[in-house]
Amino acid sequence: VTPTESIPLLIVVVLLLSASGVDPDAMTIHYAGDRDVATMEDVLIVAGGSVSVPADAAIDGQVYVIDGQFEVAGTVDGSLTQLAGSVAVPASGTITGEFQTIAGRSDVAAGATVGSRQVLEVDPREAEGGGAEWLLLLLQILGLGLLGYLLGRRQPALLENVGRAVTDHPGVSSVTGGFAGTVLLVLIIAMAFTIVLIPVSVIGLGVLVLTVAYGQVAIGYRLVQPLGIRQARWRAALGGALVAVLLEVLGTVPLVGGLAAGVVALAGLGAVLITYYGLRRFVPPTIPGPA
Amino acid sequence: VVGYGLYVAFMAAGYYYNVTFVQLGLLDLGTRHVGLSRTGVSWWMAGLALLTVVVAIATGVAVDRRGLGRDLHAKLRLLFGVVFVQVLLVAIAPHIRSVAGFGTWIVVAAIALGVGVPVSFGLTVDLVPAPDRGYVAAAITAAAYFLANVYPLDWRIETFSAAMLAAMVPGLVVLGWLASGRSGLVDALADQHERFGVGRFCHPEPVGLRSRTFASLLVLTFAVFFVDSLGFLRIVEEPILVVSSWGSPAFGDHLLLAVVHVIGAVVAGVFYRNFRKRTIYLWVFGLFALSHLLYTLDIQLGQLFPTLGGAPPVVNPATYAVAVSVYTTLNFALWPDLSTPDTIGTHTAVGVGVSGWLATFMSTALALRLQEADVGLLSHLNLVNAMALLVFVGLLVAWYVGNARHHGAGGEAA
């Protein structure tokens, strides 16, 4: 795990610490190797390697595990939050505060003492084949449909421009969407690394997601054109919902399905960008040359 | 299609020779065989760059004055001469052991490179129609960088020499046949410049060497090469920054960078064909700024959290590779598109020579001065990042002001 790869979870930890009023300067980060901890600053972050609180030791403060292994054979006089990695609390271990597991593997022995226990981890086997996927799809259909309705009611010309860019210039739209989407994601993550710009990166991510959704609605608006729906708002709403279903169906095709769905989504994003969010029609420059 | 193939093969081979044999092989030759310091070799390479510019411009002017821009046979004969000299240089290089021999090699190599720039770029007007130049430039960039990243991984002069000779000797034979005047293929291609020799940006009027368009693009491209070279020269000096990328012992890392280069070239080809120049320059400077930002961020994080360590993630060199591919593609297409068959020699010589070679010379000199002044890695990369950001913001401002003027003029007219 490199610094950059560790940072997203570190950011989450810093956010949690800030929310609880703890000074981030009081953090101790363990990244690699084995270590026994008998004393600590206010906050200990296990970001790799193996950290153990020996049976005869007691540490006072908050502990966060974002990678590696953490064993509590002694006492943690405070809370333990697990975002990834693994945590083991044998029978001799004590956590006086809350032990919260958001993700990762945890093992609490029967005789261990834990103030309170909260597990937010979702078992993928439960989600798979259950109602979660259908609920998510329903939300996507409703979300894109609603976005389409609103855009179609107020600005159908924008949808027309974006939709045309996708169908008339699929190559440029896809390449632009793929390239810009990747670079913007890197930029958003880079901004988050600075800690100070986390709010900007969160807003940026939101804008990016909305832009992708806008592109999908525009594709749908174009797709349902042959149906002859007169009212733009209903055409856009139906188109948005249809694209949500189509992307889901595409995603189920083995091997190429996910890729195809991704290309469609990126083409929408690219079309939005090259038309300046639909404000202009995209017309590539004319270059004189042999016919 | 045959013309496209020939052009891509010539240019990709030439660029591969440049980025591997000249840029990496000479460093090994100078330090390991001749006994020079890395700084000493860098000064020699800066001299090579400077001499190449002078020779390129002199050759370009001569090509245009003699009307050789319209003579495909003459250009192929000149190119044959250049490649012949380069084959000899490649064969001799591993056996050089003295500073005098190294210096002589540099001078002859610079002359060959200088002559080669306007002559090889001059083939564009005969072989590639203006609408396809972005895609063809992308193919050249993709081929050259893909090969340069995957082979050879051993950066020793002997390995480079063997690899180059294996590729260049058959190429020289083909080029010799084409240059001999006995090829009907060349006769068939020789008149094409009449139909598509005028560059994309030369409509309705040709772009002059002293025009504002040419000057501004020259400055911008100079800045691109300068920023790239100044940053890369420092990055490759830090083992920790290249251990997971250009300096990695694992073939997979090199292959990944090679693929990223290809993707970057394809993107650049599509962008060049479908967007305006300013958009592409914005992307280039934005990508360089982002790339250096990522590098400096990793270093800063390492200082803030000493327990976090290790090589930077692959996203850093990947972003860098994309930026390099984008501007290389731009460079291959831009100068011919600012030329006609009558100006192709001078324009490409000045464009490639000044923006490419002169920028490399100046950035090398500056990098060495910064090194002598004990400027730290973070400060160095911050400086490069500041330059990239400055030009990026400058371009945005120019774009905004240009649009404002355009709309203002429209408003008055209305």
Side-chain angles (χ1 to χ4, degrees), chain B residues 233-311:
Chain B
L233 283 169
R234 194 68 172 86
I235 288 170
V236 292
E237 290 289 326
E238 298 294 329
I240 190 71
L241 297 185
V242 294
V243 73
S244 59
S245 51
W246 298 282
S248 170
F251 178 73
D253 291 335
H254 291 269
L255 184 63
L256 179 68
L257 280 180
V259 171
V260 168
H261 268 296
V262 172
I263 292 170
V266 170
V267 169
V270 172
F271 278 17
Y272 186 84
R273 173 61 185 85
N274 292 284
F275 299 118
R276 294 177 176 207
K277 300 184 293 288
R278 193 173 288 151
T279 309
I280 304 165
Y281 276 106
L282 278 171
W283 272 111
V284 171
F285 285 110
L287 283 169
F288 270 125
L290 178 62
S291 176
H292 285 104
L293 179 75
L294 292 174
Y295 272 112
T296 51
L297 199 63
D298 260 359
I299 297 165
Q300 285 169 330
L301 284 168
Q303 289 178 351
L304 282 172
F305 306 113
T307 47
L308 292 173

Side-chain angles (χ1 to χ4, degrees), chain A residues 2-4 29 31 172 179 193 285, chain B residues 273-274 297-298 307-308 311 313 322:
Chain A
T2 65
T4 311
I29 305 172
Y31 183 67
V172 186
F179 188 60
F193 292 167
Chain B
R273 173 61 185 85
N274 292 284
L297 199 63
D298 260 359
T307 47
L308 292 173
V322 170

Side-chain angles (χ1 to χ4, degrees), chain A residues 16-106:
Chain A
L16 290 169
L17 288 171
S18 303
S20 59
V22 175
D23 183 0
D25 289 342
M27 291 193 301
T28 302
I29 305 172
H30 181 82
Y31 183 67
D34 297 340
R35 180 183 171 194
D36 286 343
V37 185
T39 58
M40 61 176 274
E41 302 275 341
D42 292 351
V43 177
L44 169 68
I45 299 174
V46 181
S50 177
V51 177
S52 176
V53 180
D56 55 348
I59 58 172
D60 182 12
Q62 297 180 52
V63 180
Y64 290 84
V65 179
I66 61 173
D67 198 8
Q69 298 168 1
F70 183 56
E71 186 191 40
V72 187
T75 302
V76 173
D77 192 5
S79 63
L80 171 61
T81 306
Q82 181 188 10
L83 300 170
S86 70
V87 173
V89 187
S92 62
T94 301
I95 299 168
T96 60
E98 183 183 53
F99 174 20
Q100 186 181 34
T101 297
I102 294 168
R105 199 173 64 251
S106 59

Side-chain angles (χ1 to χ4, degrees), chain A residues 22 33 40 63 69 73 96 124 134 145 209 216 229 232 242 259 266 286 290:
Chain A
V22 175
M40 61 176 274
V63 180
Q69 298 168 1
T96 60
W134 289 106
V209 170
Q216 291 180 1
I229 301 170
L242 186 67
L259 183 69
L266 290 174
T286 305

Side-chain angles (χ1 to χ4, degrees), chain B residues 317-391:
Chain B
T319 311
Y320 208 102
V322 170
V324 169
S325 272
V326 172
Y327 90 71
T328 305
T329 302
L330 177 68
N331 195 49
F332 275 119
L334 179 68
W335 305 114
D337 269 347
L338 288 166
S339 313
T340 66
D342 298 319
T343 59
I344 186 84
T346 313
H347 284 198
T348 55
V350 172
V352 178
V354 173
S355 68
W357 288 100
L358 188 63
T360 305
F361 159 75
M362 292 183 72
S363 61
T364 304
L366 180 60
L368 290 171
R369 289 292 301 161
L370 292 173
Q371 209 171 331
E372 285 167 9
D374 285 333
V375 173
L377 173 65
L378 187 58
S379 303
H380 187 120
L381 293 183
N382 272 333
L383 176 70
V384 179
N385 199 17
M387 287 181 191
L389 279 172
L390 187 68
V391 186

Side-chain angles (χ1 to χ4, degrees), chain A residues 119-137:
Chain A
V119 180
L120 298 177
E121 195 175 17
V122 177
D123 185 346
R125 285 168 301 183
E126 286 176 16
E128 197 175 327
E133 280 186 1
W134 289 106
L135 183 65
L136 189 64
L137 176 60

